[in-house]
């Protein structure tokens, strides 16, 4: 996203763990088989940490705006000079837990629909002046857009 002052907002993602570590070897095999993997030896299912940075080309500064546990950052938009709106896509830990425990079969129509709810897209706002924690605005808001009030 590009701010009104020319600042550029960008996201990064780093692998920060292995979602399989929470499961027994039997659960790992069941989960990976359900997901379609044949050779499961040494497999990992990564957990990610995401960051949003603001790059100000005029001042030649880079500022960390947000860091959190998520699979990815979705959309970003500057609401005004003081606020960034963005969405996160959750890591798949809850989904993998339901599959490994046998409470969800993602290969059925009902399971597919239920699986989507276990990987929510969450919409946040965060202040750009520093020191403020992000505020959750809602869930399941994957395709947000800002509409100017007239």
């Amino acid at each position: 996203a590009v701010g009104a002052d020319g600042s550029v907002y960008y996201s990064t993602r780093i692998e920060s763990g292995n979602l399989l570590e929470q499961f027994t070897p039997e659960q790992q095999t069941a989960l990976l088989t359900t997901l379609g993997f044949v050779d499961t030896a040494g497999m990992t299912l990564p957990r990610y940490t995401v960051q949003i940075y603001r790059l100000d080309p005029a001042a030649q500064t880079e500022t960390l705006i947000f860091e959190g546990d998520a699979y990815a950052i979705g959309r970003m938009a500057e609401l005004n000079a003081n606020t960034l709106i963005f969405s996160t896509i959750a890591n798949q830990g809850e989904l993998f837990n339901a599959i490994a425990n046998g409470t969800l079969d993602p290969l059925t129509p009902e399971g597919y629909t239920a699986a989507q709810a276990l990987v929510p897209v969450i919409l946040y706002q965060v202040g750009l002046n520093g020191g403020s924690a992000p505020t959750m605005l809602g869930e399941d808001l994957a395709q947000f857009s800002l509409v100017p009030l007239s």
Side-chain angles (χ1 to χ4, degrees), residues 66-137:
F66 171 81
E67 181 172 41
D69 183 50
Y71 176 77
I73 296 293
R75 294 183 177 201
M76 293 184 279
E78 190 180 73
L79 178 63
N80 55 45
N82 301 316
T83 308
L84 182 71
I85 306 291
F86 65 95
S87 60
T88 63
I89 302 161
N91 276 302
Q92 298 174 340
E94 293 298 317
L95 171 62
F96 293 157
N97 190 41
I99 295 168
N101 291 324
T103 58
L104 177 75
D105 180 357
L107 303 178
T108 66
E110 302 81 21
Y112 178 78
T113 301
Q116 291 178 321
L118 293 174
V119 185
V121 175
I122 301 173
L123 188 65
Y124 291 96
Q125 75 176 21
V126 67
L128 298 173
N129 296 326
S132 66
T135 302
M136 186 175 97
L137 299 176

Coordinates of all heavy atoms in Angstrom, one line a residue, residues 66-137:
F66 N 3.6 -3.4 12.7 CA 2.9 -4.5 13.3 C 3.7 -5.8 13.2 O 4.4 -6.0 12.2 CB 1.6 -4.7 12.6 CG 0.8 -6.0 12.9 CD1 0.1 -6.1 14.1 CD2 0.9 -7.1 12.1 CE1 -0.6 -7.2 14.4 CE2 0.3 -8.3 12.5 CZ -0.5 -8.4 13.6
E67 N 3.6 -6.6 14.2 CA 4.2 -8.0 14.2 C 3.2 -8.9 14.9 O 2.7 -8.6 16.0 CB 5.6 -8.0 14.9 CG 6.2 -9.4 14.8 CD 7.6 -9.4 15.3 OE1 7.9 -8.7 16.3 OE2 8.5 -10.0 14.7
G68 N 3.0 -10.1 14.3 CA 2.0 -11.0 14.9 C 2.1 -12.4 14.3 O 2.7 -12.6 13.2
D69 N 1.4 -13.3 14.9 CA 1.4 -14.7 14.5 C 0.3 -14.8 13.5 O -0.9 -14.7 13.8 CB 1.1 -15.6 15.8 CG 1.0 -17.0 15.5 OD1 2.0 -17.5 14.8 OD2 0.1 -17.7 15.8
A70 N 0.7 -15.1 12.2 CA -0.3 -15.2 11.1 C 0.4 -15.9 10.0 O 1.6 -15.9 9.8 CB -0.9 -13.9 10.7
Y71 N -0.4 -16.5 9.1 CA 0.1 -17.1 7.9 C 0.6 -16.0 6.9 O 1.6 -16.1 6.2 CB -1.0 -17.9 7.2 CG -0.5 -18.5 5.9 CD1 0.3 -19.6 5.9 CD2 -1.0 -18.0 4.7 CE1 0.7 -20.1 4.6 CE2 -0.6 -18.5 3.5 CZ 0.3 -19.6 3.5 OH 0.7 -20.1 2.3
A72 N -0.2 -14.9 6.8 CA 0.1 -13.8 5.8 C -0.7 -12.6 6.2 O -1.6 -12.6 7.0 CB -0.3 -14.3 4.4
I73 N -0.2 -11.5 5.6 CA -1.0 -10.2 5.6 C -1.8 -10.2 4.3 O -1.3 -10.5 3.3 CB 0.0 -9.0 5.7 CG1 0.8 -9.0 7.0 CG2 -0.7 -7.7 5.5 CD1 0.1 -8.7 8.2
G74 N -3.0 -9.8 4.5 CA -3.9 -9.7 3.3 C -3.8 -8.3 2.7 O -2.7 -7.8 2.3
R75 N -4.8 -7.6 2.7 CA -4.9 -6.2 2.2 C -4.4 -5.2 3.2 O -4.5 -5.4 4.4 CB -6.3 -5.8 1.7 CG -6.8 -6.6 0.6 CD -8.1 -6.2 0.1 NE -8.5 -6.9 -1.0 CZ -9.4 -6.5 -1.9 NH1 -10.0 -5.4 -1.7 NH2 -9.7 -7.2 -2.9
M76 N -3.9 -4.1 2.7 CA -3.5 -2.9 3.6 C -4.0 -1.7 2.9 O -3.9 -1.5 1.7 CB -1.9 -2.9 3.7 CG -1.3 -4.0 4.5 SD 0.5 -3.7 4.7 CE 1.1 -4.3 3.1
A77 N -4.4 -0.7 3.7 CA -4.8 0.6 3.2 C -4.7 1.6 4.3 O -5.0 1.4 5.5 CB -6.3 0.5 2.7
E78 N -4.1 2.8 3.9 CA -4.0 3.9 4.9 C -5.4 4.6 5.0 O -5.9 5.1 4.0 CB -2.9 4.8 4.4 CG -2.6 5.9 5.4 CD -1.5 6.8 4.9 OE1 -1.8 7.7 4.0 OE2 -0.3 6.7 5.3
L79 N -5.9 4.6 6.2 CA -7.2 5.2 6.4 C -7.0 6.7 6.4 O -7.8 7.5 5.8 CB -7.8 4.8 7.7 CG -9.1 5.4 8.1 CD1 -10.2 5.1 7.1 CD2 -9.5 4.9 9.5
N80 N -6.0 7.2 7.1 CA -5.6 8.6 7.1 C -4.1 8.6 7.5 O -3.5 7.6 7.6 CB -6.5 9.4 8.1 CG -6.5 8.8 9.5 OD1 -5.4 8.4 10.0 ND2 -7.7 8.6 10.1
A81 N -3.6 9.8 7.7 CA -2.2 9.9 8.0 C -1.8 9.2 9.3 O -0.6 9.0 9.6 CB -1.8 11.4 8.1
N82 N -2.8 8.9 10.2 CA -2.5 8.3 11.5 C -2.9 6.8 11.6 O -2.6 6.3 12.7 CB -3.1 9.1 12.6 CG -2.7 10.6 12.6 OD1 -1.5 10.8 12.4 ND2 -3.6 11.5 12.7
T83 N -3.5 6.2 10.6 CA -4.1 4.9 10.8 C -3.9 4.0 9.6 O -4.3 4.4 8.5 CB -5.6 5.0 11.1 OG1 -5.8 5.9 12.2 CG2 -6.2 3.7 11.5
L84 N -3.5 2.8 9.8 CA -3.4 1.8 8.8 C -4.4 0.7 9.1 O -4.6 0.3 10.2 CB -2.0 1.2 8.7 CG -1.8 0.1 7.6 CD1 -1.7 0.8 6.3 CD2 -0.5 -0.7 7.9
I85 N -5.2 0.3 8.1 CA -6.1 -0.8 8.1 C -5.5 -2.0 7.4 O -5.0 -1.8 6.3 CB -7.5 -0.4 7.5 CG1 -8.1 0.9 8.0 CG2 -8.5 -1.6 7.6 CD1 -8.5 0.8 9.4
F86 N -5.6 -3.2 8.0 CA -5.0 -4.3 7.3 C -5.7 -5.6 7.8 O -6.3 -5.6 8.8 CB -3.5 -4.4 7.6 CG -3.1 -4.6 9.0 CD1 -2.9 -5.9 9.5 CD2 -3.0 -3.6 9.9 CE1 -2.5 -6.1 10.8 CE2 -2.7 -3.8 11.2 CZ -2.4 -5.1 11.7
S87 N -5.5 -6.7 7.0 CA -6.0 -7.9 7.4 C -4.9 -9.0 7.5 O -3.9 -8.9 6.9 CB -7.1 -8.4 6.3 OG -6.5 -8.6 5.1
T88 N -5.2 -9.9 8.4 CA -4.3 -11.1 8.6 C -5.0 -12.3 8.2 O -6.2 -12.4 8.5 CB -3.7 -11.2 10.0 OG1 -4.8 -11.4 10.9 CG2 -2.9 -9.9 10.4
I89 N -4.3 -13.3 7.7 CA -4.8 -14.6 7.5 C -4.1 -15.5 8.5 O -2.9 -15.6 8.6 CB -4.5 -15.1 6.0 CG1 -5.1 -14.1 5.0 CG2 -5.0 -16.5 5.8 CD1 -4.5 -14.2 3.7
A90 N -5.0 -16.2 9.3 CA -4.4 -17.0 10.4 C -3.6 -18.1 10.0 O -3.7 -18.7 8.9 CB -5.6 -17.5 11.3
N91 N -2.6 -18.5 10.8 CA -1.9 -19.8 10.6 C -3.0 -20.9 10.7 O -4.0 -20.7 11.2 CB -0.9 -20.0 11.7 CG 0.4 -19.3 11.4 OD1 1.0 -19.5 10.4 ND2 0.9 -18.4 12.3
Q92 N -2.6 -22.0 10.2 CA -3.6 -23.1 10.1 C -3.6 -24.1 11.2 O -4.1 -25.2 11.1 CB -3.3 -23.9 8.8 CG -3.5 -23.0 7.6 CD -3.1 -23.6 6.3 OE1 -2.3 -24.6 6.2 NE2 -3.6 -23.1 5.2
G93 N -3.1 -23.7 12.4 CA -3.1 -24.5 13.6 C -4.4 -25.1 14.0 O -4.5 -26.3 14.3
E94 N -5.4 -24.3 14.0 CA -6.8 -24.7 14.5 C -7.3 -25.7 13.5 O -7.9 -26.7 13.8 CB -7.7 -23.6 14.6 CG -7.4 -22.7 15.8 CD -7.4 -23.4 17.1 OE1 -8.4 -24.2 17.4 OE2 -6.5 -23.2 17.9
L95 N -7.1 -25.5 12.2 CA -7.6 -26.4 11.1 C -6.8 -27.7 11.3 O -7.5 -28.8 11.3 CB -7.3 -25.8 9.8 CG -7.5 -26.7 8.6 CD1 -9.0 -27.2 8.5 CD2 -7.1 -26.0 7.3
F96 N -5.5 -27.7 11.4 CA -4.7 -28.9 11.5 C -5.1 -29.7 12.8 O -5.1 -30.9 12.8 CB -3.3 -28.6 11.5 CG -2.8 -28.1 10.2 CD1 -1.6 -27.3 10.1 CD2 -3.5 -28.3 9.0 CE1 -1.2 -26.8 8.9 CE2 -3.0 -27.8 7.8 CZ -1.9 -27.1 7.7
N97 N -5.4 -29.0 13.9 CA -5.8 -29.6 15.1 C -7.1 -30.4 14.9 O -7.3 -31.5 15.3 CB -6.0 -28.6 16.2 CG -6.1 -29.2 17.6 OD1 -5.5 -30.2 17.9 ND2 -7.0 -28.6 18.3
A98 N -8.1 -29.8 14.2 CA -9.4 -30.5 14.0 C -9.2 -31.7 13.1 O -9.9 -32.7 13.3 CB -10.4 -29.5 13.4
I99 N -8.4 -31.6 12.1 CA -8.1 -32.7 11.2 C -7.4 -33.9 12.0 O -7.8 -35.0 11.9 CB -7.3 -32.3 10.0 CG1 -8.1 -31.4 9.1 CG2 -6.9 -33.6 9.1 CD1 -7.3 -30.7 8.0
A100 N -6.4 -33.5 12.7 CA -5.6 -34.5 13.4 C -6.4 -35.2 14.5 O -6.2 -36.4 14.8 CB -4.3 -33.9 14.0
N101 N -7.3 -34.5 15.1 CA -8.2 -35.1 16.2 C -9.4 -35.8 15.6 O -10.2 -36.3 16.4 CB -8.6 -34.0 17.2 CG -7.4 -33.6 18.0 OD1 -6.5 -34.3 18.3 ND2 -7.4 -32.3 18.3
G102 N -9.6 -35.8 14.3 CA -10.7 -36.5 13.7 C -12.0 -35.8 13.8 O -13.0 -36.4 13.5
T103 N -12.0 -34.5 14.2 CA -13.3 -33.8 14.3 C -13.7 -33.1 13.0 O -14.8 -32.5 12.9 CB -13.3 -32.8 15.5 OG1 -12.2 -31.9 15.2 CG2 -13.1 -33.5 16.8
L104 N -12.8 -33.1 12.0 CA -13.1 -32.5 10.7 C -12.5 -33.3 9.6 O -11.3 -33.7 9.6 CB -12.4 -31.1 10.7 CG -12.6 -30.3 9.4 CD1 -14.0 -29.7 9.3 CD2 -11.6 -29.1 9.4
D105 N -13.3 -33.5 8.6 CA -12.8 -34.1 7.4 C -12.9 -33.1 6.3 O -14.0 -32.8 5.8 CB -13.7 -35.4 7.0 CG -13.3 -36.0 5.7 OD1 -12.3 -35.5 5.1 OD2 -13.8 -37.1 5.4
P106 N -11.8 -32.5 5.9 CA -11.9 -31.4 4.9 C -12.2 -31.8 3.5 O -12.4 -31.0 2.6 CB -10.5 -30.8 5.0 CG -9.6 -32.0 5.4 CD -10.5 -32.8 6.3
L107 N -12.3 -33.1 3.3 CA -12.6 -33.7 2.0 C -14.1 -33.8 1.7 O -14.5 -34.2 0.6 CB -11.9 -35.0 1.8 CG -10.4 -34.9 2.0 CD1 -9.8 -36.3 1.8 CD2 -9.8 -33.9 1.0
T108 N -14.9 -33.5 2.7 CA -16.4 -33.5 2.5 C -16.9 -32.0 2.3 O -16.2 -31.1 2.7 CB -17.1 -34.1 3.7 OG1 -16.9 -33.2 4.8 CG2 -16.6 -35.5 4.0
P109 N -18.0 -31.8 1.7 CA -18.5 -30.5 1.5 C -18.7 -29.7 2.8 O -18.3 -28.6 3.0 CB -19.8 -30.6 0.8 CG -19.7 -31.9 0.0 CD -18.8 -32.8 0.9
E110 N -19.2 -30.4 3.8 CA -19.4 -29.8 5.1 C -18.1 -29.5 5.8 O -17.9 -28.4 6.4 CB -20.2 -30.7 6.1 CG -21.6 -31.1 5.5 CD -21.5 -32.3 4.5 OE1 -20.5 -33.0 4.5 OE2 -22.5 -32.4 3.8
G111 N -17.2 -30.4 5.7 CA -15.8 -30.2 6.2 C -15.1 -29.1 5.6 O -14.4 -28.3 6.3
Y112 N -15.2 -28.9 4.3 CA -14.6 -27.8 3.6 C -15.1 -26.5 4.1 O -14.3 -25.6 4.3 CB -14.8 -28.0 2.1 CG -14.2 -26.9 1.3 CD1 -12.8 -26.8 1.0 CD2 -15.0 -25.8 0.8 CE1 -12.3 -25.8 0.3 CE2 -14.4 -24.8 0.1 CZ -13.1 -24.8 -0.2 OH -12.5 -23.7 -0.9
T113 N -16.4 -26.4 4.2 CA -17.0 -25.1 4.7 C -16.5 -24.9 6.2 O -16.1 -23.7 6.5 CB -18.5 -25.2 4.7 OG1 -18.9 -25.4 3.3 CG2 -19.2 -23.9 5.2
A114 N -16.5 -25.9 7.0 CA -16.1 -25.7 8.4 C -14.6 -25.4 8.4 O -14.2 -24.6 9.3 CB -16.3 -27.0 9.2
A115 N -13.8 -25.9 7.5 CA -12.4 -25.6 7.5 C -12.1 -24.2 7.2 O -11.2 -23.6 7.8 CB -11.7 -26.5 6.4
Q116 N -12.9 -23.5 6.4 CA -12.7 -22.1 6.1 C -12.8 -21.3 7.4 O -12.1 -20.3 7.5 CB -13.6 -21.7 5.0 CG -13.3 -22.3 3.7 CD -14.3 -21.8 2.6 OE1 -15.5 -21.8 2.8 NE2 -13.8 -21.6 1.4
A117 N -13.7 -21.6 8.2 CA -14.0 -20.9 9.5 C -12.8 -21.0 10.4 O -12.6 -20.2 11.3 CB -15.3 -21.3 10.1
L118 N -12.0 -22.1 10.3 CA -10.9 -22.3 11.2 C -9.6 -21.6 10.8 O -8.6 -21.6 11.5 CB -10.6 -23.8 11.3 CG -11.7 -24.6 12.0 CD1 -11.4 -26.1 12.0 CD2 -11.9 -24.1 13.4
V119 N -9.7 -20.9 9.6 CA -8.5 -20.1 9.2 C -9.1 -18.7 8.9 O -9.3 -18.3 7.7 CB -7.9 -20.7 7.9 CG1 -6.6 -19.9 7.5 CG2 -7.5 -22.2 8.1
P120 N -9.4 -17.9 9.9 CA -10.1 -16.7 9.7 C -9.2 -15.6 9.1 O -8.0 -15.6 9.3 CB -10.6 -16.3 11.1 CG -9.6 -16.9 12.0 CD -9.2 -18.2 11.3
V121 N -9.9 -14.7 8.4 CA -9.2 -13.4 8.0 C -9.7 -12.4 9.0 O -10.9 -12.2 9.1 CB -9.6 -13.1 6.5 CG1 -9.0 -11.7 6.1 CG2 -9.1 -14.2 5.6
I122 N -8.8 -11.7 9.6 CA -9.1 -10.7 10.7 C -8.7 -9.3 10.2 O -7.6 -9.2 9.8 CB -8.5 -11.1 12.0 CG1 -8.9 -12.5 12.4 CG2 -8.8 -10.1 13.1 CD1 -8.2 -13.1 13.6
L123 N -9.6 -8.4 10.4 CA -9.3 -7.0 10.0 C -8.9 -6.2 11.2 O -9.6 -6.3 12.3 CB -10.6 -6.4 9.4 CG -10.4 -5.0 8.7 CD1 -9.5 -5.1 7.5 CD2 -11.8 -4.5 8.3
Y124 N -7.8 -5.4 11.1 CA -7.3 -4.6 12.2 C -7.1 -3.2 11.7 O -7.0 -2.9 10.6 CB -5.9 -5.1 12.6 CG -5.8 -6.5 13.3 CD1 -5.6 -7.6 12.5 CD2 -6.0 -6.6 14.6 CE1 -5.5 -8.9 13.1 CE2 -5.9 -7.8 15.3 CZ -5.7 -9.0 14.5 OH -5.6 -10.2 15.1
Q125 N -7.0 -2.3 12.7 CA -6.4 -1.0 12.5 C -5.3 -0.8 13.5 O -5.4 -1.3 14.6 CB -7.5 0.1 12.6 CG -8.0 0.4 14.0 CD -9.0 1.6 14.1 OE1 -9.6 1.9 13.1 NE2 -9.1 2.2 15.2
V126 N -4.3 0.0 13.1 CA -3.2 0.3 14.0 C -2.8 1.8 13.8 O -2.8 2.3 12.6 CB -2.0 -0.6 13.8 CG1 -1.4 -0.5 12.5 CG2 -1.0 -0.5 14.9
G127 N -2.5 2.5 14.9 CA -2.0 3.8 14.8 C -0.6 3.9 14.3 O 0.2 3.0 14.5
L128 N -0.3 4.9 13.5 CA 1.0 5.0 12.9 C 1.9 5.9 13.7 O 3.1 6.1 13.3 CB 0.8 5.6 11.4 CG 0.0 4.7 10.5 CD1 -0.2 5.3 9.2 CD2 0.8 3.3 10.3
N129 N 1.5 6.5 14.8 CA 2.3 7.4 15.5 C 3.1 6.6 16.6 O 3.7 7.3 17.4 CB 1.5 8.5 16.2 CG 0.9 9.4 15.1 OD1 1.5 9.6 14.0 ND2 -0.3 9.9 15.3
G130 N 3.0 5.3 16.7 CA 3.7 4.5 17.6 C 3.0 4.3 18.9 O 2.2 5.2 19.4
G131 N 3.3 3.2 19.6 CA 2.9 3.0 20.9 C 1.5 2.4 21.1 O 1.1 2.1 22.2
S132 N 0.7 2.3 20.0 CA -0.6 1.8 20.1 C -0.7 0.3 19.6 O -0.1 0.0 18.6 CB -1.6 2.6 19.4 OG -1.4 2.6 18.0
A133 N -1.4 -0.5 20.3 CA -1.6 -1.9 19.9 C -2.7 -1.9 18.8 O -3.6 -1.0 18.8 CB -2.0 -2.7 21.1
P134 N -2.6 -2.9 17.9 CA -3.6 -3.0 16.9 C -5.0 -3.3 17.5 O -5.1 -4.0 18.6 CB -3.2 -4.1 16.0 CG -2.0 -4.8 16.7 CD -1.6 -3.9 17.8
T135 N -6.0 -2.8 16.9 CA -7.4 -3.0 17.3 C -8.1 -3.9 16.3 O -8.1 -3.5 15.1 CB -8.2 -1.7 17.5 OG1 -7.5 -0.8 18.4 CG2 -9.6 -1.9 17.9
M136 N -8.7 -5.0 16.8 CA -9.4 -5.9 15.8 C -10.8 -5.2 15.5 O -11.5 -4.8 16.4 CB -9.7 -7.2 16.5 CG -10.3 -8.2 15.5 SD -10.5 -9.9 16.2 CE -12.2 -9.8 16.7
L137 N -11.0 -5.1 14.2 CA -12.3 -4.5 13.7 C -13.3 -5.6 13.4 O -14.5 -5.3 13.4 CB -12.0 -3.7 12.5 CG -11.1 -2.5 12.6 CD1 -10.8 -1.8 11.3 CD2 -11.6 -1.5 13.7

